[in-house]
Amino acid sequence: MAKIAITFLITDLDIGGTPRMLRDLAIGLAESGRFVPTVVSLAPLGPIADQLKKAGVRVESLEVRRPWQLLTAILRWRELLQELDPDLVYSLLVHA
């Protein structure tokens, strides 16, 4: 059976409830062997990113620090989606 590629888009990977939940979900999916999760953060990478990487989950950042960087982030997001070609995109938190 082919692995299912899932790309998660989240506002940030700082310590908090949603990023920790996503960490646990992405790691569990990766460990199952049926899924290939990738986590993309709008903001620069936070501490949760290190934990994901250590578990073998790919993590990317769109590096948005200021509102005017959103256009560049949208273009980078489009490039990532073309590269990753996910079967599913799941977005968490309002900004994502």
Side-chain angles (χ1 to χ4, degrees):
M1 179 179 285
K3 291 185 179 186
I4 299 170
I6 303 175
T7 298
F8 295 95
L9 178 65
I10 189 165
T11 302
D12 63 62
L13 290 169
D14 291 328
I15 299 296
T18 302
R20 290 184 343 188
M21 180 276 308
L22 176 57
R23 174 200 60 207
D24 295 345
L25 175 61
I27 291 171
L29 289 171
E31 289 175 348
S32 78
R34 293 196 56 221
F35 301 92
V36 179
T38 301
V39 176
V40 180
S41 172
L42 289 176
L45 298 179
I48 298 289
D50 295 333
Q51 297 167 11
L52 286 162
K53 288 178 183 180
K54 185 181 275 186
V57 175
R58 180 176 175 180
V59 182
E60 299 286 341
S61 171
L62 299 178
E63 296 291 332
V64 175
R65 290 182 175 91
R66 304 279 185 241
W68 59 82
Q69 295 174 314
L70 285 173
L71 179 56
T72 304
I74 290 168
L75 296 174
R76 175 69 177 127
W77 174 236
R78 186 180 77 174
E79 290 173 4
L80 272 172
L81 286 176
Q82 289 173 343
E83 174 190 336
L84 298 168
D85 192 26
D87 297 303
L88 176 69
V89 174
Y90 188 81
S91 176
L92 298 99
L93 299 177
V94 176
H95 297 96

